[in-house]
Amino acid sequence: MGRDIANPLLLPEIRQMIAEKDEQGLSEIMNELHPASIAEFAEGLTDEETWELLSHGGEHRQALVFPFFSPEKEVELVEGIGREQMSKLLEAMPHDDRVDLLKQCDEGTVDSLLPLIAKADREDIRRLLTFPEHQAGSVMTTDYATLPPDITVQESLNRLRQQASERETIYYVYVVDDERHLIGFISLRDLVLAKPTAIIRDIMTEDIVSVRADQDQEDVARQMARFDFLAIPVVDDQNRIIGIVTHDDVLDVLQEEATEDIARQGGSEPLGRPYLSVSITHLIRSRIVWLCMLAVAATLTVNVLSIFESTLEQVVTLSLFIPLLIGVGGNAGAQSATTIVRALATEEVSSSDLFRVILREARVGFLLGGTLATLAFVVVWLAFDMNMALILSLSLIAICTLGSLVGALMPILANRVGIDPAVVSAPFVTTIVDATGLIVYFLIARLVLGI
């Protein structure tokens, strides 16, 4: 190509091509650039300009580009094109991508599109749409390659050549019987290296790792990561293959799950869409509930201060260290919670490890507190007196230990009762440790000072 049209800074030039009906330039963009680059340009185009650009590539090429659009752009494009043309594009799209697209559309749009789609594709779409979100069935594709067990390698390669153009991947080929029970699999590499006269049954791998359609998508992602698979088969309760989950879908799952965990660890709900495409109202809704809950929980701290008001009046110096102790305790709890939430997510620990984790975190919290207490003792003794140094040092040890214990305990208990551990992580842990830490501080102060 003569022009560097891959440069996003040349979007005005692409607009000019569309305005001038530059057929050659638009065809070069659609047929020579990576689909992701094309979608990146089109995000800055109007819907009419985007369809004009897409029209200079065939339906197969359009189907490759479409999944790279943002969800909002996809829905806008569906609404802005004739139903007949959109139905043809859906037939050409990968099975999992078209289902993801239709899940974002309203029911009326879906109902108007399905009758225009070929019967086999229509039934496939309806079946995939029935699987709930976050299950393996909702992210699987039915574009997979299969072979019978009793044919030769040469016959298998000939069959794969016929299937390849309609399959999302042929690197893994699944061996099935007449009723589609999964009995083995073989990689394309093994097929190429095998003798042409070898029988598939004799060279296939029978030790198959598979998942159920109702299995949680995060569990599927962990399975694939554990075995380093490019794809994993999905089977029904009779071990019949019904689809596969591919590595690109797993990357999407991991990104989605990580986004949810990060949002909830920060005390908000995941947005589900790109930040700049979300309205201010939606942003407020995603945060206000958590803020209200945390504000109510924070009243515990106020109540603690009111209970020990007389102690503060007798020794005003105690109030100087409250922010320090609250900060240290909250941070210790947040560190512990973050570590345990991550360990639960990667299955490094489970609910059955509760007591082992508590013992470890108690030791860690005690040693951290002891280190801080040693540093604080000398400074406070020199600045104030021995009693304040002793109160602060003992409080730091107790509060760091308490924070580490609460931070470890809450995610594991949440996981045991079926709640996402991220929900009860840093914000709630910090709030609880703030209140209980102050109680410990004032009790130690009363004990040391004899008041």
Side-chain angles (χ1 to χ4, degrees):
M1 298 178 63
R3 291 165 291 192
D4 181 20
I5 59 172
N7 188 338
L9 296 177
L10 297 182
L11 182 59
E13 184 178 344
I14 299 174
R15 276 208 167 99
Q16 185 177 355
M17 291 183 196
I18 295 173
E20 296 177 354
K21 304 294 184 182
D22 184 349
E23 304 289 334
Q24 180 180 353
L26 294 173
S27 294
E28 287 178 348
I29 293 173
M30 275 300 298
N31 297 299
E32 295 187 25
L33 292 184
H34 191 281
S37 297
I38 300 170
E40 186 178 357
F41 300 146
E43 288 290 341
L45 300 175
T46 66
D47 294 345
E48 292 76 14
E49 290 171 334
T50 302
W51 277 119
E52 181 63 29
L53 173 61
L54 291 174
S55 67
H56 287 79
E59 289 173 359
H60 177 71
R61 189 65 177 169
Q62 292 177 26
L64 293 177
V65 174
F66 218 81
F68 286 101
F69 290 131
S70 66
E72 294 74 27
K73 183 78 172 179
E74 286 184 324
V75 173
E76 289 175 4
L77 291 173
V78 170
E79 297 294 339
I81 188 177
R83 294 291 184 262
E84 186 173 345
Q85 184 177 345
M86 191 63 223
S87 65
K88 292 179 180 178
L89 179 55
L90 285 172
E91 290 178 359
M93 288 177 68
H95 294 196
D96 52 340
D97 289 332
R98 67 189 181 189
V99 171
D100 288 341
L101 169 59
L102 291 175
K103 283 181 179 178
Q104 300 170 62
C105 299
D106 59 68
E107 292 185 10
T109 300
V110 176
D111 291 341
S112 65
L113 283 170
L114 288 181
L116 303 176
I117 297 173
K119 182 179 179 181
D121 288 312
R122 184 167 66 248
E123 291 176 352
D124 179 73
I125 289 171
R126 281 179 171 154
R127 185 160 62 95
L128 291 178
L129 284 172
T130 62
F131 290 103
E133 290 289 336
H134 302 295
Q135 289 189 0
S138 69
V139 293
M140 74 178 183
T141 178
T142 50
D143 280 334
Y144 56 90
T146 60
L147 290 172
D150 299 318
I151 62 175
T152 65
V153 167
Q154 185 61 56
E155 291 173 313
S156 299
L157 291 172
N158 291 335
R159 291 196 184 196
L160 285 179
R161 289 190 187 96
Q162 298 173 0
Q163 296 184 44
S165 61
E166 300 177 355
R167 300 291 180 258
E168 184 163 336
T169 178
I170 60 168
Y171 186 78
Y172 291 154
V173 185
Y174 300 97
V175 184
V176 298
D177 61 18
D178 293 338
E179 297 180 349
R180 302 194 67 77
H181 293 110
L182 184 61
I183 60 176
F185 83 96
I186 186 169
S187 70
L188 183 60
R189 180 179 185 274
D190 290 340
L191 275 177
V192 171
L193 294 176
K195 293 182 179 180
T197 55
I199 302 299
I200 293 299
R201 185 186 297 276
D202 297 332
I203 61 174
M204 71 181 186
T205 299
E206 297 184 41
D207 183 18
I208 310 168
V209 178
S210 61
V211 296
R212 295 281 295 273
D214 59 356
Q215 196 165 332
D216 187 86
Q217 63 180 14
E218 197 170 1
D219 292 337
V220 176
R222 283 196 288 263
Q223 286 263 56
M224 289 186 67
R226 177 185 175 190
F227 293 100
D228 199 22
F229 286 160
L230 293 177
I232 193 167
V234 182
V235 298
D236 61 15
D237 55 2
Q238 297 182 30
N239 200 44
R240 291 178 298 203
I241 186 169
I242 57 175
I244 62 172
V245 177
T246 56
H247 67 285
D248 57 325
D249 297 314
V250 164
L251 288 175
D252 292 338
V253 168
L254 292 176
Q255 182 179 8
E256 177 185 339
E257 297 291 343
T259 299
E260 288 184 2
D261 288 346
I262 291 171
R264 286 171 177 159
Q265 284 176 351
S268 66
E269 282 298 307
L271 299 178
R273 290 182 292 174
Y275 172 78
L276 292 177
S277 68
V278 175
S279 67
I280 297 296
T281 303
H282 188 92
L283 285 172
I284 293 172
R285 283 203 307 267
S286 71
R287 303 177 189 179
I288 189 64
V289 174
W290 287 96
L291 281 178
C292 290
M293 292 173 63
L294 292 172
V296 171
T299 59
L300 290 172
T301 304
V302 177
N303 292 332
V304 170
L305 289 173
S306 65
I307 292 171
F308 290 96
E309 185 177 359
S310 60
T311 304
L312 283 172
E313 289 176 352
Q314 294 181 55
V315 188
V316 178
T317 309
L318 290 173
S319 64
L320 299 177
F321 298 101
I322 290 176
L324 169 65
L325 293 172
I326 286 178
V328 169
N331 287 334
Q335 288 175 337
S336 178
T338 301
T339 301
I340 300 305
V341 167
R342 179 58 184 166
L344 287 168
T346 57
E347 296 186 329
E348 296 171 9
V349 300
S350 65
S351 299
S352 61
D353 298 315
L354 176 62
F355 293 106
R356 291 178 60 195
V357 171
I358 286 177
L359 289 175
R360 286 175 64 86
E361 287 301 316
R363 291 165 58 192
V364 170
F366 182 83
L367 292 173
L368 287 172
T371 303
L372 293 174
T374 303
L375 297 173
F377 185 86
V378 176
V379 175
V380 177
W381 186 11
L382 294 175
F384 296 92
D385 55 43
M386 172 68 79
N387 284 337
M388 282 307 306
L390 184 59
I391 291 169
L392 185 62
S393 297
L394 292 175
S395 297
L396 283 170
I397 294 173
I399 289 173
C400 276
T401 305
L402 176 65
S404 296
L405 284 173
V406 173
L409 184 62
M410 289 189 66
I412 293 180
L413 291 180
N415 186 65
R416 179 170 285 184
V417 298
I419 300 174
D420 185 352
V423 173
V424 293
S425 58
F428 277 115
V429 169
T430 300
T431 303
I432 291 173
V433 173
D434 286 351
T436 54
L438 286 179
I439 294 175
V440 170
Y441 176 49
F442 288 124
L443 291 176
I444 291 174
R446 282 183 170 183
L447 181 64
V448 172
L449 298 174
I451 57 176

